[in-house]
Every structure is written in structure tokens, then in C-alpha cells.
Amino acid sequence: MSVEKMRNIGIMAHIDAGKTTTTERILYYTGKSHRIGEVDDGEATMDWMEQEQNRGITIVSAATTCYWNEHQINIIDTPGHVDFTAEVERSLRVLDGAVGIFCAVGGVEPQSETVWHQANTYKVPRIAYINKMDRIGADFFAAIKEIDDKLGAETMPVYLPIGAESDFKGIIDIVNMREVYWPEDDPKAGCIYEELKDENRSMAEEWHEKLMDKLGTISDEIMELYLEGEDVPHKLIHKTIRKGVLEQAFLPVFVGASLRNIGVQPLLDGIIEYLPAPTDLPPVPGISVKNESAVIVERSDKGSPLALVFKIQNDREAGSLCYVRVYSGVIKKGTAVYNMNKRKRERLNRILRMHSNTSEDLSSLSAGDIGVIIGMKEAQTGDTIGSEGHQVLLESMHFPEPVITVAIEPKTMSDMDKLKKTLNTLTKEDPTFTVSENDETGQLVISGMGELHLDVLVTRIVREFKVEAKIGNPQVSYRESVSVASEYTEKFNKVIAGKENTASVTLKVAPMNRGEGNTFTSAVSESNLPREYQDAVRRGVENSFTSGIMYGYPGIDIGVTLIAADYSELTSTAFAFEAASALGYDNACRGASPVLLEPVMNVDVLSPKDYIGEVINNVTVRGGMVNSLESRTSIEHINAQAPLAKMFGYSTVLRSLTQGRGTFSMEFSHFAPKEGGI
Ligand code: GDP
Ligand code: MG
């Protein structure tokens, strides 16, 4: 399939908006169209769908491929909630466009706002689909108004509903000015197009005009034709909508009721018609491994192979399934690829394309495409792979810091190795999950983004990997930093095996802005301190970042500069410079008013109006600051920030405060100085 005919899309939706149902219908209709002549009875597909439905899993792969109108659509699984930010980040990173599904009754739910804004940050072109038009309370125009108001989008319907609730019958295509219907009780049948009826004409014309007005703002050609009262060719309309989507000038809106098999094929047409092909997007920024300079990666299969690992899934039979997005060049089965992050060459045993119920062996994967690689043992989510002769790192994914820690041990010591292996597998799958072993006690400690995150992982360890393990009480994972600048000169001199080891370094430490990370720079030239010793200083400082200042928690946002150094041709060694730098770093930090930082969480609570007083009180008692309070029809939405330490067990508390009716989501916001130490 040529790359212009490829679409890499995500489906973004709030829980319950109908993502699973719509995806199922997409796979059903596309499966049928792809397999015409292969499977004569559609029943087989349907049976399979029902089976999957009963088991409650539809899309198990992180990316599923299907075909529509001679185009290839790779659907990338995109979580709808923010409990697992890393999952959202990584899917947004590799998809080229997205469909936002909204419920015609619920409209925009607070949790989906976060995901939508993340998609804005990544500049993901989108179309919207208003689902569940058949439900009681369905209101298409209220839903699009909410999208405008709450998400700051500029909606532009390309279809309108005919009727609503139990009267929802079909949709009006306001580009082609016709009506679209689906025969009831026959999901296999395609849509039926009918002429516009008189009773729908004025509404259709009104919205057609609005559509033309909007398209006229980005196409002079349309503006002129329209002003002259001439018909605008449909092809030009589609082309202009596509242009607007790519520029994110507006948000075309589709409508339907997936459960009733209404609206799905037009949505598929829209995905092909309006969402970008990989080649419609600008080149990808990368960094040369050799000299850290910025490079531009052209999205072409001519260049050196370059791909991003965006998900690792452990499969009991096949081992590590490595989902990759290829940005340039071609990756071939049976060859070696180079992992830029791990600096390791590995062999590609197999390349697979995942379909809804099968997988297909491929001999290669080209720029623009998404697939699964089998054979890479070391790869981790976020790694760049490509050719050893052309070492470029794609911008690595940004993952939040693990903020909660818990000790874990096997129920029986004989399971220790199995537990360690399992934890190792899980850290490869999930970059926001880390494991460390205490050097002295041998105790295993796991860290993640929240109680829920660790709960899910521990459940997987027990159920999926069959390792009986028990965990201790969750602890906050603090950080340390400095609050003023300070300098320190460390002179090191140690005799080892009769040989002197000397070094002298002057280090300056200074606070960086929150979130900037740790940095090391050398202001000493290589003529004043040879490269070998400069490297040793860097190692000494960088290793010290993880070991804390006063309490042993990792240091963050500390800027270190080597401002002077002294060495002797006779007695200096790399070892001495590394040791001097580690000690110098400690001493400089202690003189720089060290601070202990605690994770502050962003908390969104939805509570029925009756309990709102108690809920707010409780958040305040926990040291939380309420940022906003917003009324919905029957519920209130509270947004607050609170220290993680005070939020342990909050789900139980909220349940009892609201008689089980309140819900909340919580994610890491930032680190802030902790009052009163620990
Ligand atoms: P997800 O959480 O976004 O994946 O949503 P699901 O697809 O699982 O749907 C949630 C619920 O809404 C299920 O009970 C579906 O049967 C129902 N549902 C999905 N689409 C529609 C629709 O078009 N109309 C109605 N009435 N219900 C729907
Ligand atoms: Mg679902």
C-alpha cells in the first residue's frame, strides 16, 4: 500500500462514550470489505465479534490494521482517561490523526478534557463523532456547543442527525446534500442514500451555508464560487475540509449511533478523506548521536531506517512484541537493527501486522507504517531503532516521574528469581514503572505514578505472571534539590596500592527551574583539563544526582558547572576526578540550602451536588487547594491540587463521603517544597 493511502489514527473518548462499540463496528465493516470473496458468510466475523464481546476484550493489540476503500487504517489504541498518562503520551506520539468520540447525552466529560488538551499539545489533526444519538436525552447541538466551549474547538458539522432518541433515523450529508439511512436489523447491509426531503431542506441548507462560509475563510476558490452563486464541486469541498483539518482550523463533526449501526461508514470515509497520511506531516526532529546536533528526519522510505518503539507487550508464546512506528527508510526481516538508546545491535526475527483477529507475517515495514517486531530482547518503550551507520535519536517520549513507592516481596523465597524477571519485563513495557533493589537489605522496591497504577501492576504480577507477591504500605517518593547557588572546591588525594591519585575540581551548583531536570556543563576547556578527566567529572556528578543530598532521594532540577580544575601529569587519575566530583557535588549541594520536595497531584473530583460541601472540606483538610468548581446538570466538578502524601486511600474516603457516587482522577502535577521535613 502506498504511504499516501495510509492512515495512523487513534480513537479518543471518555469512558462509556462508545469507543469499543464504534471500533468494533469499524472492524466489522472494514473486515467485510477487505475479505469480500474470502469469507462468504459475514456470520463468521459476527460470531467472532460476539465471542470477543463476551470476554470483554475487543482490541487487544496496541495497533490494529484494517482496510477501507483501498486505504490502510492503523488504529492505535488510545486510553480515554488520564490515570495512565504515559499510555496517552505514547499513543499520541505515534498517531497522525484522531477521532474524538463524544456521547450525545454526556457531551464533554472532564476527564476527556485533559486528553484533548494533550492532543492539542501534540498538534494532532482531529475529527469528531457524536455517538449515541438514539439515547434518551441525546442533543447533537448541545454536544457540539460543549465541544466549542469546553475544548476551545471550532466545530463544523458535516453531517446532521435526522431525529433524536428513539426517533433517530438517519443522517443528513451536508456536503453532498442528501440523506443517509441504514436498513434496520441488518447490520451487514451498507448505507442507503436518499434525496433530501422537503422537511429537512431548510436545516440542511442553513448548515451547508455555514460550512461554505467557514471553508471560504481558508479557500479563495470556494469563496469566489460561492459569492458568484455557483456550485462548489464536492471534490473541492473535501479537499478544503482536509486542509482545514491538517491546519487544525476547525473540527468536522460526524454523527451516529454505533450500537444501532448508524453512522459508522461515513465516519470511515471521513477518516480517509480528512485525516492526514504520514507524508502530509512535517519532517520529524531528531538528534544526531555523534555530536548531539539537531537533524531533520524526512518521512521517506528512501532514507536510513529509523523507527520508534512505542509499546512493548509481553506475549506468552511469542515473547516480547515490540510495536514500532517507522519514520523513515525500510526495516527488513532477518536483518540486524541498531538500538540507539541501548547501543546494541539486535536481530529482527519476524515482522507482523496485527489485524483484529489474526496477525500477518511481513517481510518488511516501510516509512509511515506501524507493526510489530519480534526478536529484540533489550528494547524498551521510547527507544529509537535504526541502522548503526546512521545514528539518530528521535525525540524521546516525555514520561512523568514515578511518585509512589512500595516494597514488594515474593510469598516464598523460591519465587524470588521469577519475581525479579517479571518486574524486569514490566519495566520494559511501562517506562513510568521502575524497580530498585536496596544494596544493603536486598529489599525490592517498585515505583509508579499512583496507587491505582501500582495496584494494576501488582494484579498483573499475580494473575498474568502467576507470581505470588505481597507488598508493603505505599510511600511517597520525595525528591531533593537546592535553593541557592553555591561553589565548592574539592581536593582529592588518596594513595592506593602505593600509587598517588590526585584531583582538584571546583563545582558550582545552582537551582534550575522546576521540571528542567539536572544538567552538567563544563566551563573548563580541554586544554586545561584533558577529555578523559572531563568525562570522569561528568560521571562523578551524574551518578551523584540519583543519590540525594540530605535524605537519599533523587536530586532534581540541579544545574552543576565545573568552573575550575587542577591536574598533575604525574599523579592525577580518572578515578580521582570521579571521586573528587562526587564528593564536591555533595559538599556544594549541602551549602546550597537543600530542600526536600514532595509530589503535588492534580485532582479532579466529580460529585453529586448533595455531597459537595463535605467533599470540598475533606480536600481542604488534606492540604488541597481548590482551583475551580464547576456545576453540571446534577453533578459538580472540583479541580484541586493536593500533596500526594495526604491523598493515599482517597478512593475509599470519597466513596464513603458520597455514598459511592463520587468519582475522581488524579495525576502528578509538580514537585513543591515540603514543609517541616519528614
Ligand atoms: P467505551 O467505554 O467508550 O469503550 O464505550 P462502550 O463502547 O463500551 O459503550 C459503553 C456503553 O454504551 C455500552 O453499554 C454500549 O452498548 C453503549 N453504547 C455504545 N454506543 C451506543 C449507541 O450508539 N447508542 C446507545 N444507546 N448505546 C451505546
Ligand atoms: Mg471500551
Side-chain angles (χ1 to χ4, degrees), residues 482 484-488 509 549 585-594:
V482 295
V484 297
S486 159
E487 282 177 29
Y488 192 88
V509 302
I549 303 167
Y585 167 86
D586 274 354
N587 285 321
C589 286
R590 277 169 219 265
S593 306

mmCIF file of all heavy atoms in Angstrom, residues 482 484-488 509 549 585-594:
data_model
loop_
_atom_site.group_PDB
_atom_site.id
_atom_site.type_symbol
_atom_site.label_atom_id
_atom_site.label_comp_id
_atom_site.label_asym_id
_atom_site.label_seq_id
_atom_site.Cartn_x
_atom_site.Cartn_y
_atom_site.Cartn_z
ATOM 1 N N VAL A 482 18.304 22.014 45.342
ATOM 2 C CA VAL A 482 18.968 23.105 46.047
ATOM 3 C C VAL A 482 18.177 24.383 45.806
ATOM 4 O O VAL A 482 17.429 24.482 44.838
ATOM 5 C CB VAL A 482 20.424 23.289 45.550
ATOM 6 C CG1 VAL A 482 21.259 22.065 45.889
ATOM 7 C CG2 VAL A 482 20.464 23.558 44.041
ATOM 8 N N VAL A 484 19.691 27.768 46.490
ATOM 9 C CA VAL A 484 20.555 28.899 46.100
ATOM 10 C C VAL A 484 21.799 28.350 45.399
ATOM 11 O O VAL A 484 22.070 27.152 45.454
ATOM 12 C CB VAL A 484 21.013 29.744 47.323
ATOM 13 C CG1 VAL A 484 19.832 30.396 48.011
ATOM 14 C CG2 VAL A 484 21.815 28.897 48.304
ATOM 15 N N ALA A 485 22.554 29.224 44.765
ATOM 16 C CA ALA A 485 23.790 28.787 44.112
ATOM 17 C C ALA A 485 24.913 28.696 45.144
ATOM 18 O O ALA A 485 24.923 29.428 46.133
ATOM 19 C CB ALA A 485 24.170 29.768 43.011
ATOM 20 N N SER A 486 25.826 27.774 44.908
ATOM 21 C CA SER A 486 26.939 27.631 45.837
ATOM 22 C C SER A 486 28.111 26.953 45.132
ATOM 23 O O SER A 486 27.925 26.167 44.207
ATOM 24 C CB SER A 486 26.459 26.805 47.045
ATOM 25 O OG SER A 486 27.539 26.232 47.724
ATOM 26 N N GLU A 487 29.333 27.290 45.571
ATOM 27 C CA GLU A 487 30.528 26.699 44.960
ATOM 28 C C GLU A 487 31.324 25.926 45.990
ATOM 29 O O GLU A 487 31.293 26.232 47.179
ATOM 30 C CB GLU A 487 31.447 27.812 44.436
ATOM 31 C CG GLU A 487 30.983 28.413 43.136
ATOM 32 C CD GLU A 487 31.904 29.563 42.722
ATOM 33 O OE1 GLU A 487 33.109 29.533 43.087
ATOM 34 O OE2 GLU A 487 31.388 30.460 42.050
ATOM 35 N N TYR A 488 32.054 24.948 45.521
ATOM 36 C CA TYR A 488 32.893 24.201 46.452
ATOM 37 C C TYR A 488 34.107 23.652 45.710
ATOM 38 O O TYR A 488 33.987 23.157 44.587
ATOM 39 C CB TYR A 488 32.099 23.039 47.066
ATOM 40 C CG TYR A 488 32.810 22.414 48.241
ATOM 41 C CD1 TYR A 488 32.631 22.904 49.540
ATOM 42 C CD2 TYR A 488 33.674 21.343 48.049
ATOM 43 C CE1 TYR A 488 33.301 22.339 50.610
ATOM 44 C CE2 TYR A 488 34.343 20.765 49.122
ATOM 45 C CZ TYR A 488 34.154 21.279 50.408
ATOM 46 O OH TYR A 488 34.818 20.724 51.465
ATOM 47 N N VAL A 509 26.965 24.622 42.043
ATOM 48 C CA VAL A 509 25.610 24.084 41.870
ATOM 49 C C VAL A 509 24.624 25.236 41.970
ATOM 50 O O VAL A 509 24.856 26.194 42.703
ATOM 51 C CB VAL A 509 25.243 22.990 42.912
ATOM 52 C CG1 VAL A 509 26.219 21.837 42.841
ATOM 53 C CG2 VAL A 509 25.154 23.557 44.313
ATOM 54 N N ILE A 549 20.779 14.316 48.727
ATOM 55 C CA ILE A 549 21.639 15.281 49.418
ATOM 56 C C ILE A 549 21.575 15.026 50.914
ATOM 57 O O ILE A 549 22.562 14.657 51.538
ATOM 58 C CB ILE A 549 21.205 16.731 49.089
ATOM 59 C CG1 ILE A 549 21.231 16.955 47.560
ATOM 60 C CG2 ILE A 549 22.128 17.725 49.787
ATOM 61 C CD1 ILE A 549 20.540 18.230 47.103
ATOM 62 N N TYR A 585 30.329 17.534 44.636
ATOM 63 C CA TYR A 585 28.898 17.737 44.391
ATOM 64 C C TYR A 585 28.138 17.733 45.718
ATOM 65 O O TYR A 585 27.340 18.620 46.000
ATOM 66 C CB TYR A 585 28.382 16.640 43.461
ATOM 67 C CG TYR A 585 26.883 16.541 43.369
ATOM 68 C CD1 TYR A 585 26.166 17.317 42.466
ATOM 69 C CD2 TYR A 585 26.169 15.664 44.205
ATOM 70 C CE1 TYR A 585 24.790 17.228 42.388
ATOM 71 C CE2 TYR A 585 24.793 15.573 44.141
ATOM 72 C CZ TYR A 585 24.098 16.350 43.238
ATOM 73 O OH TYR A 585 22.735 16.271 43.178
ATOM 74 N N ASP A 586 28.426 16.703 46.556
ATOM 75 C CA ASP A 586 27.754 16.607 47.866
ATOM 76 C C ASP A 586 27.983 17.868 48.687
ATOM 77 O O ASP A 586 27.054 18.450 49.238
ATOM 78 C CB ASP A 586 28.312 15.415 48.651
ATOM 79 C CG ASP A 586 27.588 14.133 48.296
ATOM 80 O OD1 ASP A 586 26.604 14.205 47.532
ATOM 81 O OD2 ASP A 586 28.014 13.061 48.768
ATOM 82 N N ASN A 587 29.231 18.283 48.772
ATOM 83 C CA ASN A 587 29.558 19.439 49.599
ATOM 84 C C ASN A 587 28.952 20.723 49.048
ATOM 85 O O ASN A 587 28.459 21.558 49.812
ATOM 86 C CB ASN A 587 31.073 19.564 49.732
ATOM 87 C CG ASN A 587 31.611 18.507 50.707
ATOM 88 O OD1 ASN A 587 30.988 18.225 51.736
ATOM 89 N ND2 ASN A 587 32.729 17.897 50.363
ATOM 90 N N ALA A 588 28.987 20.874 47.729
ATOM 91 C CA ALA A 588 28.410 22.081 47.133
ATOM 92 C C ALA A 588 26.898 22.122 47.386
ATOM 93 O O ALA A 588 26.345 23.160 47.735
ATOM 94 C CB ALA A 588 28.698 22.118 45.632
ATOM 95 N N CYS A 589 26.228 20.969 47.244
ATOM 96 C CA CYS A 589 24.770 20.928 47.461
ATOM 97 C C CYS A 589 24.413 21.242 48.909
ATOM 98 O O CYS A 589 23.456 21.955 49.188
ATOM 99 C CB CYS A 589 24.206 19.557 47.089
ATOM 100 S SG CYS A 589 24.120 19.284 45.315
ATOM 101 N N ARG A 590 25.188 20.704 49.848
ATOM 102 C CA ARG A 590 24.891 20.961 51.264
ATOM 103 C C ARG A 590 24.996 22.439 51.592
ATOM 104 O O ARG A 590 24.332 22.940 52.495
ATOM 105 C CB ARG A 590 25.847 20.178 52.160
ATOM 106 C CG ARG A 590 25.399 18.752 52.366
ATOM 107 C CD ARG A 590 26.497 17.931 53.020
ATOM 108 N NE ARG A 590 26.526 16.608 52.436
ATOM 109 C CZ ARG A 590 25.896 15.573 52.969
ATOM 110 N NH1 ARG A 590 25.230 15.709 54.088
ATOM 111 N NH2 ARG A 590 25.933 14.411 52.374
ATOM 112 N N GLY A 591 25.851 23.147 50.861
ATOM 113 C CA GLY A 591 25.999 24.583 51.083
ATOM 114 C C GLY A 591 24.998 25.404 50.288
ATOM 115 O O GLY A 591 25.050 26.636 50.304
ATOM 116 N N ALA A 592 24.095 24.748 49.567
ATOM 117 C CA ALA A 592 23.194 25.480 48.668
ATOM 118 C C ALA A 592 21.751 25.401 49.155
ATOM 119 O O ALA A 592 20.821 25.329 48.359
ATOM 120 C CB ALA A 592 23.322 24.929 47.254
ATOM 121 N N SER A 593 21.575 25.459 50.500
ATOM 122 C CA SER A 593 20.237 25.361 51.119
ATOM 123 C C SER A 593 19.387 24.271 50.481
ATOM 124 O O SER A 593 18.426 24.558 49.766
ATOM 125 C CB SER A 593 19.481 26.684 51.021
ATOM 126 O OG SER A 593 20.239 27.715 51.553
ATOM 127 N N PRO A 594 19.744 22.999 50.735
ATOM 128 C CA PRO A 594 18.970 21.915 50.124
ATOM 129 C C PRO A 594 17.512 21.916 50.581
ATOM 130 O O PRO A 594 17.213 22.333 51.700
ATOM 131 C CB PRO A 594 19.680 20.646 50.598
ATOM 132 C CG PRO A 594 20.559 21.049 51.719
ATOM 133 C CD PRO A 594 20.865 22.503 51.564
#
